[in-house]
Amino acid sequence: MAGGNSNYWEDLRKQARQLENELDLKLVSFSKLCTSYSSSRDGRRGDSSDTTPLLNNSTQDRMFETMAVEIEQLLAKLTGLNDKMAEYSSAPGVTSLNAALMHTLQRHRDILQDYTHEFHKTKANFLAIREREDLLGSVRKDIETYKSGTGVNNRRTELFLKEHEHLRNIAMATKENMTSQRGMLKSIQGRVNTLANRFPAINSLIQRINLRKRRDSLILGGVIGICTILLLLYAFH
């Protein structure tokens, strides 16, 4: 059995200390990455310029995933070494040294537990920050899209109102012109009727003039109606 070798325990402890030192460095870098990720997000929220940080979010996300996998692998290796040390300390051949071995083993287990807890805590904080910032970014994007869409709608509404006012002015001017012409025509008609009553001989001539006048009025009204329809079609096209 490998446990019968007195150097076996020291070799396990040496490997465990190496992994613990490596894990300690990795966890410090992992914590710094989480802090820099939060700081870069806060800086981008407070800065309206287009300046790009040294590490953008996608790069930090990839670094996070890579470091998380590396730390998980180191934790798994350290767990395996602790299991081997526990197996060795419980072997029948090392009973006299069992108390000292168990004390050392417990210290390594406590270190492993602390590192595991720190890793999961830092990882959870990182994921929470990323989820929160992604949500805030989505909300800001929706707000900007809404503002942009509202601006376009306001411009369209303004153009429509201007066109509507223009058509209304044209219609009012046309109505006033037609009213004025009707007044003039009535005045002329009254004078013509007076002349017709005084001179019956020209009554037939006046009737022909009236027929032509009605025909011209119908033609004028038709032209005005067609122009109005065309203007409305153009406005709502």
Side-chain angles (χ1 to χ4, degrees), residues 1-207:
M1 176 179 176
N5 189 344
S6 60
N7 294 326
Y8 180 69
W9 173 258
E10 293 300 326
D11 183 59
L12 291 177
R13 286 193 59 193
K14 181 180 179 180
Q15 294 181 48
R17 287 195 297 268
Q18 289 176 347
L19 285 175
E20 288 167 356
N21 292 334
E22 189 174 354
L23 271 168
D24 185 66
L25 295 175
K26 287 285 186 182
L27 288 171
V28 170
S29 299
F30 195 61
S31 179
K32 289 181 178 179
L33 176 64
C34 180
T35 303
S36 64
Y37 187 89
S38 177
S39 299
S40 67
R41 290 287 186 127
D42 293 339
R44 292 184 66 183
R45 283 201 303 268
D47 186 6
S48 59
S49 64
D50 295 331
T51 303
T52 303
L54 294 178
L55 291 177
N56 57 36
N57 295 324
S58 60
T59 301
Q60 289 180 315
D61 288 339
R62 289 194 296 269
M63 292 178 62
F64 166 79
E65 299 296 340
T66 301
M67 292 185 67
V69 171
E70 293 175 351
I71 293 174
E72 287 173 348
Q73 291 174 349
L74 291 174
L75 289 173
K77 290 180 180 179
L78 186 58
T79 300
L81 284 174
N82 283 348
D83 292 340
K84 289 181 180 180
M85 285 190 290
E87 181 182 356
Y88 177 83
S89 63
S90 61
V94 292
T95 305
S96 59
L97 301 176
N98 190 54
L101 295 180
M102 290 302 298
H103 176 75
T104 302
L105 175 60
Q106 185 60 43
R107 185 165 61 85
H108 284 292
R109 283 176 172 173
D110 291 340
I111 293 174
L112 173 60
Q113 183 177 2
D114 291 341
Y115 285 166
T116 302
H117 175 74
E118 182 179 352
F119 168 68
H120 288 302
K121 180 180 178 181
T122 304
K123 182 179 179 180
N125 290 339
F126 185 96
L127 294 176
I129 292 172
R130 186 170 65 180
E131 182 179 0
R132 182 193 66 189
E133 296 300 332
D134 289 342
L135 178 60
L136 291 176
S138 177
V139 171
R140 287 195 295 269
K141 183 178 179 181
D142 292 341
I143 292 175
E144 293 298 328
T145 302
Y146 173 78
K147 289 182 178 179
S148 177
T150 302
V152 172
N153 291 333
N154 287 340
R155 288 193 294 272
R156 290 178 178 174
T157 302
E158 183 179 355
L159 291 175
F160 172 77
L161 292 175
K162 287 182 177 180
E163 188 66 26
H164 175 73
E165 184 66 21
H166 178 65
L167 292 175
R168 181 176 176 275
N169 292 336
I170 293 176
M172 291 297 295
T174 302
K175 179 181 178 182
E176 292 176 358
N177 188 27
M178 293 180 65
T179 301
S180 177
Q181 289 183 5
R182 276 201 302 270
M184 293 176 61
L185 291 175
K186 287 182 179 180
S187 178
I188 295 173
Q189 181 66 36
R191 294 178 183 178
V192 170
N193 289 335
T194 301
L195 291 174
N197 292 330
R198 292 182 181 179
F199 304 98
I202 62 172
N203 188 41
S204 60
L205 177 61
I206 293 174
Q207 289 179 353

